[in-house]
Amino acid sequence: VRTAAAAADAPALAARAVAQARQLGYRPLLARALLAEGRARFALDQRAAAVAPLEEATDLALVVGDDVTALEAYAREVLARPVSEHEALRAGARPMLGLAARLGPAGRLGTALLHNHLGVVEFSAGRREAARVAWSTALALARQLDGPDVLELAWVWSNLARVSDDATRAALLAEVVALTKGRLGADHPQTLYLAIDAAFWTGEVGATRAAMAPLCDRLAELHPTRAATIVECSYELGVLDLADGDADAASRHLARVVGLAQADVDADSVRLAAAFLAALDGQPGAADLFRAVLRGLAVTDATPWFQLLPAADAERAAARARAHALLVRAAAVSPGPVVQRRLAWADAPAR
């Protein structure tokens, strides 16, 4: 209940239940308690901390013959693991897919979760069609569920929207936002997450900013512990602000990213936000900060698509920051219109 309500104390309460189950020595109960802890930690953006209890829950549930718990724990572990482990998880999922087929309706939640999370793995690797198949399967299963289970699977709608045509995408996103808003309320973090995700697809820069900003601000105000998601939406807002020529809004959103630097948030977004803030402040070392991010990303032909986005941000910004620094030096000697025009070009948002 505390996990579903997104309560900050849910992981601690679940960990206490795990400790008590260990003392009792009843392994089926311990497996379920570990699953609850993993769920609670993941729900509060503590992905790295969710892996160990979910892995142990999977192994222990298989040993004691609780296949339903094992399937669900493994499905959740897939999404909690870092992207660097996705290919290994994809290869290792075959036995679990067989287990899911054998369980049938009894394992419907775990099966839907597994297909959803394997779709994320496929999409991360750039395999759009495989992701679409996995997410379509997950959605068909999700539509057969009700109550808390269907809310667990709300991201299936949003994920399938990523690989759908415009009309289908709009319908899926509207459906899932209405679903969570009706069941959980407009200010529940899951509703806000999904509404923010829907806003990403608005299209035109100004419309996207107008849709996203109040949602992201609301999330930061009401759920400040959801650092990973706040960082994600605030960074994207900052980039949109820059593209729209609103330096003040960009500074506000990017400063929020830097202020949330901690474990379980995207470190590249934090470093890029700091570099953008330095550039907005006219600091001469801003270009070096962007280049440092590029060195850390180490882009190759095998780099996943989503890691190309921060690299592209850094590439463009580094060149602009370097151009700005050179022109400021020139303007110190010759501040005439020839230099000023070039400064305006360097500082203008790209269209």
Side-chain angles (χ1 to χ4, degrees):
V1 171
R2 300 294 285 170
T3 298
D9 62 347
L13 292 173
R16 192 180 309 159
V18 168
Q20 292 170 343
R22 287 193 195 281
Q23 287 184 335
L24 289 172
Y26 185 54
R27 293 187 296 175
L29 178 62
L30 177 57
R32 294 181 185 184
L34 287 161
L35 170 58
E37 181 184 356
R39 285 184 59 187
R41 294 197 181 283
F42 187 90
L44 290 177
D45 286 338
Q46 300 173 14
R47 292 195 172 203
V51 171
L54 290 172
E55 183 178 36
E56 187 180 356
T58 302
D59 294 344
L60 190 57
L62 286 171
V63 169
V64 301
D66 186 352
D67 292 342
V68 172
T69 295
L71 176 62
E72 182 182 344
Y74 181 80
R76 295 182 187 281
E77 183 188 342
V78 168
L79 201 58
R81 290 279 184 181
V83 173
S84 60
E85 299 179 20
H86 274 185
E87 282 303 307
L89 288 166
R90 178 174 176 263
R94 287 179 60 193
M96 283 296 178
L97 288 170
L99 177 62
R102 178 167 60 78
L103 285 172
R108 190 171 286 150
L109 172 62
T111 304
L113 286 169
L114 183 56
H115 282 287
N116 183 43
H117 298 168
L118 289 175
V120 173
V121 170
E122 299 287 11
F123 190 67
S124 297
R127 294 185 285 264
R128 285 176 59 88
E129 180 56 23
R132 188 193 64 76
V133 171
W135 287 332
S136 295
T137 302
L139 182 59
L141 292 165
R143 291 192 187 281
Q144 299 174 43
L145 297 168
D146 198 5
D149 289 348
V150 74
L151 293 172
E152 277 281 303
L153 291 160
W155 278 104
V156 176
W157 277 258
S158 182
N159 287 336
L160 184 57
R162 296 170 182 268
V163 291
S164 300
D165 60 72
D166 291 347
T168 303
R169 178 186 304 120
L172 287 168
L173 293 175
E175 181 184 356
V176 75
V177 171
L179 171 68
T180 53
K181 187 180 292 185
R183 301 284 186 93
L184 299 172
D187 288 333
H188 189 280
Q190 186 171 353
T191 303
L192 290 169
Y193 288 1
L194 289 161
I196 288 168
D197 190 68
F200 274 127
W201 294 98
T202 303
E204 191 270 328
V205 171
T208 304
R209 289 178 64 207
M212 279 184 60
L215 296 167
C216 190
D217 291 347
R218 192 72 171 156
L219 181 67
E221 175 191 355
L222 297 179
H223 309 286
T225 61
R226 304 307 180 93
T229 305
I230 296 168
V231 162
E232 180 183 6
C233 70
S234 297
Y235 176 78
E236 290 299 327
L237 267 174
V239 172
L240 289 168
D241 295 333
L242 290 170
D244 218 19
D246 191 340
D248 290 341
S251 294
R252 183 171 67 255
H253 290 128
L254 294 169
R256 185 158 66 197
V257 172
V258 173
L260 287 171
Q262 61 188 59
D264 284 326
V265 305
D266 183 57
D268 293 328
S269 294
V270 172
R271 287 192 288 267
L272 274 169
F276 276 122
L277 287 171
L280 287 167
D281 195 38
Q283 297 179 22
D288 293 333
L289 294 176
F290 287 116
R291 283 193 286 270
V293 174
L294 283 169
R295 287 194 297 271
L297 289 169
V299 173
T300 69
D301 290 342
T303 298
W305 70 268
F306 54 88
Q307 290 180 351
L308 298 177
L309 303 185
D313 290 347
E315 285 277 13
R316 176 178 173 278
R320 287 165 59 85
R322 178 61 178 159
H324 177 92
L326 293 172
L327 290 165
V328 166
R329 284 175 55 193
V333 179
S334 178
V338 172
V339 175
Q340 295 303 323
R341 278 197 297 270
R342 283 171 171 77
L343 262 174
W345 295 337
D347 294 341
R351 295 289 184 177

